[in-house]
Amino acid sequence: MQTSLIDIRSQFDKDLSTTKTAAEVEALKIKFLGKKGLIQDLMKGLKEVDPAERPARGKEINDLKETITRQIDELFLSQSSSELKERLAREDIDTSLPGRRRFLGKKHLISQVVDEMLQILGKMGFSVQVGPDIDSEFYNFEALNMGPDHPARDMQDTFYIADQVLLRTHTSNVQVRVMESQRPPIRVVSPGKAFRNEDISARSHVFFHQLEAFYVDKNVTFGDLLATLEQFFKQLFHPDVQIRVRPSYFPFVEPGMEVDINCISCKGAGCSLCKQTGWLEVAGAGMVHPEVLRFGGVDPEEYTGFAWGMGIDRMVMLKYGITDIRMFTENDIRFLEQFA
Ligand code: DAH
């Protein structure tokens, strides 16, 4: 027997008045609007209704369904808002407190400056090529004209990993690798880590960063080297920067030299940063030694080249007035976030 519309309506009103919790609302919804609910029963009963009355009866059922749906929705809404109010009162949230700050990761200062250096050299036509941190004695020493008895190969300064395998002591280890893999003209810049067994202090570390720039072609001259260095340091520090070179010895260049720039802090007048000399040492450089070109399979009768290498950490320290190299590896967020 089919329950009448009026009965269902009054049944619903009665149930609604006693419905309180979320679970009860759900049960009410299933009882009246579910697939096997009372409204559905009414729909099924339509078959037995006189066809002439069916449309009117169908409309009545639909109206009832809509009313019930709306009332259940309203109950649901008022119930969740009262639950929310209760929860807010219970949890006692202080809405005047400042929000939590979200920390976004940033590039490390060293990486930022490396990017800048690569950009400057990129515009001059140098492309980036990185060498391995772990390398053989051959590429780190031998091929750079540092034979077995060379003092730079002292075990005390170099971290050996196995026989003839070491942590590279400089980024110059890329030079011969690059020449082996490509023919001149070669214009390569190579940033990376270098390792030396030194006492850790404010000024030196066992692990630091270097950048090597390397150019091999026909007719590359000492003048090209000077002009490139000057342009590079002007763009990195200041358009008024001047460079000065002093003869020095590195086995893989001839002639070799030390490069200074006039002190960026006192502009050459003399201060504590430049130890009153007015100059800061910034790089080692020179014309690639014929022996090194030969190791790379490049004919020194036909080609010449220049190379320079420099400590990146020191450049960053000068540029930003940082006085302790250890700051770079301590990962103190108070230091790092100053260079966002
Ligand atoms: N590799 C040297 C060092 O670590 C720096 C250097 C000096 C690199 C002279 C060069 C150069 O390319 O020509 O001290």
Side-chain angles (χ1 to χ4, degrees):
M1 248 244 347
Q2 205 198 332
T3 337
S4 81
L5 247 102
I6 311 278
D7 288 346
I8 288 179
R9 168 87 248 185
S10 61
Q11 174 75 52
F12 177 74
D13 288 342
K14 203 169 129 237
D15 285 2
L16 188 69
S17 65
T18 59
T19 301
K20 299 216 160 53
T21 66
E24 284 166 357
V25 177
E26 193 56 30
L28 186 70
K29 195 170 169 182
I30 292 169
K31 179 173 173 183
F32 286 88
L33 302 172
K35 270 193 202 136
K36 293 179 183 157
L38 293 172
I39 296 287
Q40 200 54 34
D41 280 351
L42 285 179
M43 291 290 192
K44 280 181 198 149
L46 268 182
K47 293 195 288 278
E48 283 133 45
V49 175
D50 180 350
E53 288 175 23
R54 237 178 249 163
R57 172 85 178 162
K59 184 173 181 315
E60 279 173 0
I61 298 173
N62 262 332
D63 288 349
L64 179 61
K65 186 181 175 185
E66 266 172 35
T67 314
I68 289 179
T69 307
R70 183 171 38 77
Q71 282 185 285
I72 288 179
D73 286 350
E74 279 167 6
L75 181 63
F76 178 75
L77 281 178
S78 75
Q79 197 189 40
S80 33
S81 76
S82 69
E83 261 175 26
L84 191 65
K85 269 185 217 144
E86 223 178 89
R87 201 181 129 204
L88 283 174
R90 188 159 24 95
E91 292 183 353
D92 195 20
I93 291 173
D94 180 353
T95 49
S96 68
L97 280 175
R100 282 201 192 117
R101 255 174 79 199
R102 279 220 267 157
F103 287 100
L104 289 179
K106 310 261 164 46
K107 270 198 177 176
H108 191 283
L109 179 58
I110 297 268
S111 303
Q112 290 178 34
V113 176
V114 168
D115 284 352
E116 202 181 326
M117 291 173 171
L118 296 182
Q119 214 191 343
I120 297 170
L121 289 164
K123 279 189 277 181
M124 296 183 190
F126 288 80
S127 61
V128 182
Q129 210 139 319
V130 289
D133 291 352
I134 297 174
D135 208 352
S136 63
E137 272 187 328
F138 177 76
Y139 288 109
N140 195 81
F141 291 131
E142 209 106 358
L144 293 171
N145 206 22
M146 288 184 262
D149 299 326
H150 197 279
R153 291 178 63 156
D154 193 341
M155 297 279 288
Q156 311 231 303
D157 300 333
T158 307
F159 290 113
Y160 276 86
I161 287 181
D163 186 30
Q164 296 178 35
V165 181
L166 43 76
L167 293 181
R168 66 171 169 192
T169 59
H170 54 180
T171 47
S172 305
N173 71 328
V174 290
Q175 292 192 10
V176 169
R177 267 175 205 286
V178 167
M179 286 191 281
E180 278 175 348
S181 68
Q182 67 197 76
R183 296 285 87 207
I186 295 170
R187 246 197 231 104
V188 161
V189 53
S190 186
K193 295 187 185 81
F195 308 83
R196 276 178 218 172
N197 193 0
E198 283 178 24
D199 290 337
I200 297 176
S201 71
R203 296 178 60 85
S204 71
H205 211 291
V206 289
F207 126 74
F208 49 97
H209 302 81
Q210 284 192 336
L211 179 137
E212 190 85 9
F214 184 63
Y215 177 30
V216 178
D217 199 357
K218 287 186 172 138
N219 305 316
V220 176
T221 66
F222 195 74
D224 295 332
L225 171 57
L226 293 181
T228 310
L229 282 167
E230 186 169 293
Q231 267 311 309
F232 175 77
F233 287 111
K234 276 184 191 302
Q235 288 186 48
L236 185 66
F237 289 113
H238 196 272
D240 297 333
V241 160
Q242 284 168 20
I243 64 162
R244 154 181 109 163
V245 296
R246 290 172 286 119
S248 185
Y249 175 71
F250 299 98
F252 36 92
V253 280
E254 178 60 37
M257 61 192 191
E258 218 106 42
V259 184
D260 299 338
I261 58 172
N262 56 340
C263 180
I264 51 173
S265 173
C266 63
K267 305 273 181 303
C271 68
S272 61
L273 184 65
C274 59
K275 299 203 191 82
Q276 312 305 327
T277 63
W279 295 94
L280 297 166
E281 190 185 315
V282 286
M287 300 305 288
V288 181
H289 198 288
E291 209 46 42
V292 176
L293 291 174
R294 250 181 239 120
F295 269 114
V298 172
D299 181 1
E301 299 297 326
E302 201 180 343
Y303 293 100
T304 50
F306 69 63
W308 91 78
M310 60 188 190
I312 295 171
D313 307 68
R314 183 164 150 73
M315 288 310 100
V316 179
M317 289 167 81
L318 290 176
K319 200 168 154 86
Y320 289 93
I322 295 161
T323 50
D324 193 327
I325 194 172
R326 291 168 293 195
M327 299 302 282
F328 294 134
T329 43
E330 274 168 3
N331 282 340
D332 186 331
I333 196 84
R334 292 166 301 181
F335 170 75
L336 296 175
E337 70 185 356
Q338 290 176 52
F339 308 101

